[in-house]
Amino acid sequence: MDILVQTLADGLVIGAFYSLIALGYTMVFGIIKLLNFAHGDLYMLGAFVGYTLLSVLGGDSSGAGLMGILIVLLLTMVIVGVIGMGIERVAYRPLLLAPRLSILITAIGVSLFLENGSMIVWGAQYQVYPLQLSHDGISLLGAKITYVQIGLVVISALLMLSLHLFINHSLYGKAMRAIALDQTACHLMGIHVHKVIGLTFFIGASLAAGAGTMAGAYYGTVNFMMGFIIGLKAFTAAVLGGIGSIPGAMLGGLLLGMMETAGTFIFGGSWKDVVAFSLLILILVLKPTGIMGEKVTERM
Amino acid sequence: MNPSRKKIAVVLLLAVACVLPFLSNNYWLDVATLALFYVVLAQGLNVVVGFAGLLDLGYAAFFAVGAYTTGILMTVYQWSFWLTLPVAMVFAAIVGVIIGAPTLRLRSDYLAIVTLGFGEIIRILAINLTITGSASGIYGIQRPSIGGYVLGGQIDFYYLILIIAVLAVVAVKRLGTSRIGRAWMYIREDEDAAEAMGINRINMKLMAYSIGAVIGSLAGSVFAVKMSAIAPLSFSFTQSIMILLAVVLGGLGSIPGVVLGAVLVIALPELLRSVEDWRYLIFGAALVAMMLFRPQGLWPARYEMKRGARHGETEEATEGGSGNDVKLDSEKCNA
């Protein structure tokens, strides 16, 4: 029982990260039908920007208080969000009409650029996060759940909730949903389509960056290659939940996180990626629409 | 270029390739050998991506299948290298069908992700299984021999891979102009129309995928005996990307273009040795720039198309580049 609860709790934290990144995938896919390969690298970038900000602002050890950490988190999200917008402007927008292969390859190019750029800026070795999180926590049915874990899940939940409200209740959210349905019509109706697409990239990138900073603090180390596998898994999460669907991405991330933690427990750590990727292939083959997805695959 | 001049150019190029070992030092001979490996790999991927339009991001997996099949058969079961070749090729074709059969119904992006996932799974398998020697890989693979002559030197392997590269280029060229090749290109241009015209798209895609796999595994087998040691690191996602880059850089579906792309992908980083860390950064930027400014590659394929039709096509592409009109053409989405 305690193992089950522990697995669920650990999986929930990882799942929350996956969900946040998966949201960016799903939003971008929903709106311009592009799989943004560079998305995982924005997560990595978020981890590094957070690392730098904490090093500069928070001193070397646990000097940064809770408020400081939150400010760093928000700052990181804004900075990486703007970078995400810039990527869309430079690399993707000119190719919106080009064959899908071109834009996908561009995304790979951006990903290579970001990874190796980060390697040059921050070095190839693992960097230790300048932040010591406490290991205090509560016991729940024999499992140990730290306050940090609770905090991370709560922050993720808040971010997702605000996104949900934004998409469903704001004018821009309405525009996004409209563009996902029919871009041309939106253009004709006077919606500034490119602006809204840019905003989508901003939100997606900043959510990934938030996840990156939190993951950096949670695991303690960051590396320039950390985005690749995570990006792939977040994509798996998005597909699992049904790509294009926002609640689906949240659900898919949490499910994947828990399945992966369970897989690690059953098969051992070296096989956990195989669990995730096998799952991805199985879903794509058996039910390409995912759990909550609409039937968009026909178009591809 | 008219046909006879083209022929002369090809013969000249081959002659240069044949005498190259006597003109260069060991370092550049090694680079040339690696470039030839890439020519083979890129031609294999050219069938998949260039002809059939199936974006495969896990192509290095087939390179690994060939290398590991040869490596295991030679070290564990003491097979002769030449006997492992057909086995590796058959094995790669089977793996290609296993991966392809369920997934080739998916299109473009989804297929890309699935193949990426498969590539990663094969790599993780190689790292974790005992038979593949875990993370340290397989070492002590014997040198192959013909009659009594043992292929041991750099020059021997250069010629071996040169022969295979020439064979691969000829085979892919002939495939491309065959009935099958035209079916692939039709599928690439418009899958639904192709199917309506009576092309079995699943079979054709599977064939493209398997043929690509076989060519990739061939390169892998030779790679195993050339290096005499293989490790999972050689078959990473980056490797798949570099092969794809060779194909895209040269020009999708263009045989001479892909050869050029393969040579550039190997030669440029060597020329950029002094800026080691920047190599892939520059590549990433180059990839984006290529797609923005010259999406058809350096040496684009030419099909039997009227001048006007071609012109119209490029004009359309640049029009998309300016990007004022946000209409997403469903036909283009399928490409």
Side-chain angles (χ1 to χ4, degrees):
Chain A
M1 186 63 190
D2 48 343
I3 289 170
L4 188 71
V5 176
Q6 187 77 62
T7 308
L8 278 179
D10 293 347
L12 200 64
V13 179
I14 303 173
F17 297 154
Y18 286 164
S19 294
L20 283 178
I21 312 168
L23 281 171
Y25 265 116
T26 261
M27 286 173 74
V28 169
F29 186 87
I31 201 161
I32 58 171
K33 305 284 174 285
L34 160 74
L35 288 184
N36 185 7
F37 259 98
H39 195 64
D41 297 305
L42 291 169
Y43 158 88
M44 175 270 300
L45 210 59
F48 271 113
V49 171
Y51 162 83
T52 307
L53 286 178
L54 277 174
S55 309
V56 174
L57 301 176
D60 48 351
S61 63
S62 55
L66 192 63
M67 222 33 225
I69 297 172
L70 283 180
I71 289 171
V72 165
L73 188 69
L74 282 178
L75 264 179
T76 307
M77 287 175 68
V78 171
I79 293 172
V80 178
V82 170
I83 294 174
M85 265 171 97
I87 290 171
E88 189 270 337
R89 181 70 192 85
V90 174
Y92 298 151
R93 190 179 298 180
L95 287 168
L96 273 183
L97 279 169
R100 297 193 73 87
L101 192 64
S102 310
I103 193 160
L104 204 60
I105 288 165
T106 316
I108 293 168
V110 171
S111 165
L112 276 178
F113 186 87
L114 288 180
E115 273 170 23
N116 291 282
S118 306
M119 187 188 79
I120 291 164
V121 175
W122 286 287
Q125 68 278 31
Y126 279 85
Q127 302 286 352
V128 179
Y129 234 65
L131 187 64
Q132 291 293 323
L133 295 174
S134 81
H135 290 284
D136 299 339
I138 49 167
S139 276
L140 187 76
L141 298 168
K144 189 172 186 225
I145 298 163
T146 64
Y147 294 130
V148 171
Q149 286 182 321
I150 297 172
L152 291 179
V153 172
V154 168
I155 296 176
S156 308
L158 281 178
L159 285 175
M160 286 188 242
L161 183 70
S162 32
L163 176 72
H164 184 76
L165 292 177
F166 180 80
I167 299 271
N168 283 312
H169 297 285
S170 78
L171 202 58
Y172 276 107
K174 208 178 204 175
M176 277 178 198
R177 284 179 288 144
I179 291 173
L181 283 178
D182 192 334
Q183 235 180 58
T184 319
C186 289
H187 195 59
L188 295 175
M189 294 302 286
I191 295 173
H192 202 315
V193 172
H194 285 315
K195 210 162 134 190
V196 178
I197 293 176
L199 183 68
T200 310
F201 270 85
F202 178 85
I203 295 173
S206 57
L207 287 178
T213 312
M214 289 195 278
Y218 184 60
Y219 295 117
T221 54
V222 285
N223 177 262
F224 75 101
M225 281 306 288
M226 69 192 272
F228 168 60
I229 289 277
I230 292 279
L232 212 51
K233 286 201 194 141
F235 175 74
T236 308
V239 173
L240 178 65
I243 195 148
S245 151
I246 304 249
M250 300 177 192
L251 183 71
L254 295 178
L255 275 178
L256 182 71
M258 285 190 240
M259 276 191 256
E260 201 183 283
T261 324
T264 311
F265 178 69
I266 298 166
F267 301 107
S270 51
W271 293 100
K272 69 168 194 221
D273 292 351
V274 175
V275 173
F277 294 137
S278 309
L279 195 70
L280 166 72
I281 292 163
L282 272 179
I283 302 159
L284 279 178
V285 170
L286 298 177
K287 196 175 186 310
T289 50
I291 299 171
M292 307 182 91
E294 290 148 40
K295 212 167 164 51
V296 288
T297 39
E298 279 306 302
R299 266 202 255 169
M300 302 197 50
Chain B
M1 229 189 285
N2 62 45
S4 65
R5 273 174 65 190
K6 209 167 165 179
K7 222 169 240 170
I8 293 168
V10 170
V11 170
L12 266 179
L13 194 69
L14 267 180
V16 170
C18 284
V19 297
L20 189 76
F22 307 103
L23 299 175
S24 69
N25 57 16
N26 278 348
Y27 170 69
W28 283 106
L29 185 61
D30 218 39
V31 174
T33 312
L34 200 59
L36 286 173
F37 271 108
Y38 260 68
V39 170
V40 180
L41 287 168
Q43 288 298 353
L45 190 61
N46 190 24
V47 172
V48 182
V49 186
F51 289 169
L54 309 166
L55 186 53
D56 184 352
L57 293 181
Y59 190 67
F62 298 118
F63 189 43
V65 166
Y68 273 105
T69 309
T70 294
I72 291 167
L73 286 177
M74 284 182 76
T75 52
V76 181
Y77 302 101
Q78 318 298 331
W79 281 36
S80 144
F81 167 67
W82 308 106
L83 279 177
T84 68
L85 277 185
V87 176
M89 286 162 77
V90 170
F91 198 49
I94 293 171
V95 174
V97 171
I98 291 174
I99 298 175
T103 55
L104 287 178
R105 289 180 300 136
L106 305 168
R107 292 185 188 183
S108 62
D109 303 6
Y110 279 95
L111 183 68
I113 288 284
V114 167
T115 50
L116 208 169
F118 265 109
E120 282 301 298
I121 286 178
I122 296 238
R123 193 179 61 85
I124 297 168
L125 281 180
I127 294 175
N128 286 311
L129 292 177
T130 11
I131 194 159
T132 54
S134 310
S136 52
I138 295 174
Y139 42 88
I141 301 166
Q142 294 97 333
R143 300 296 190 191
S145 58
I146 306 172
Y149 181 73
V150 179
L151 297 177
Q154 255 184 338
I155 294 182
D156 299 333
F157 286 112
Y158 173 80
Y159 281 119
L160 179 61
I161 191 67
L162 178 64
I163 292 168
I164 289 176
V166 170
L167 284 177
V169 169
V170 172
V172 171
K173 185 166 176 54
R174 294 193 65 102
L175 271 173
T177 48
S178 72
R179 194 185 167 82
I180 297 169
R182 291 202 305 274
W184 284 336
M185 286 169 212
Y186 201 173
I187 290 172
R188 180 191 63 194
E189 295 304 326
D190 192 332
E191 209 169 311
D192 297 319
E195 186 153 43
M197 295 303 285
I199 294 169
N200 186 334
R201 66 183 172 98
I202 302 290
N203 278 358
M204 280 298 159
K205 283 175 165 188
L206 259 184
M207 196 185 282
Y209 208 66
S210 287
I211 288 174
V214 167
I215 297 175
S217 78
L218 200 59
S221 296
V222 180
F223 185 75
V225 286
K226 196 238 166 214
M227 305 308 281
S228 85
I230 44 175
L233 202 68
S234 309
F235 313 105
S236 60
F237 176 65
T238 317
Q239 185 81 285
S240 299
I241 290 298
M242 293 309 277
I243 305 168
L244 181 67
L245 186 55
V247 178
V248 176
L249 198 66
L252 284 166
S254 150
I255 309 276
V258 169
V259 172
L260 176 74
V263 173
L264 282 181
V265 160
I266 295 301
L268 281 182
E270 293 303 327
L271 296 173
L272 289 171
R273 269 266 173 236
S274 51
V275 284
E276 181 80 38
D277 287 351
W278 294 78
R279 275 157 63 168
Y280 289 105
L281 181 94
I282 294 170
F283 265 141
L287 213 51
V288 176
M290 275 287 295
M291 282 301 121
L292 293 181
F293 300 112
R294 205 175 160 78
Q296 301 104 325
L298 293 174
W299 194 333
R302 267 173 211 201
Y303 300 111
E304 302 141 51
M305 230 183 258
K306 286 199 187 80
R307 251 196 131 71
R310 259 198 80 74
H311 187 68
E313 190 189 71
T314 43
E315 207 169 60
E316 216 169 32
T318 42
E319 225 170 58
S322 63
N324 277 326
D325 190 358
V326 282
K327 184 169 154 271
L328 260 179
D329 193 341
S330 70
E331 272 169 39
K332 281 177 187 163
C333 293
N334 286 337

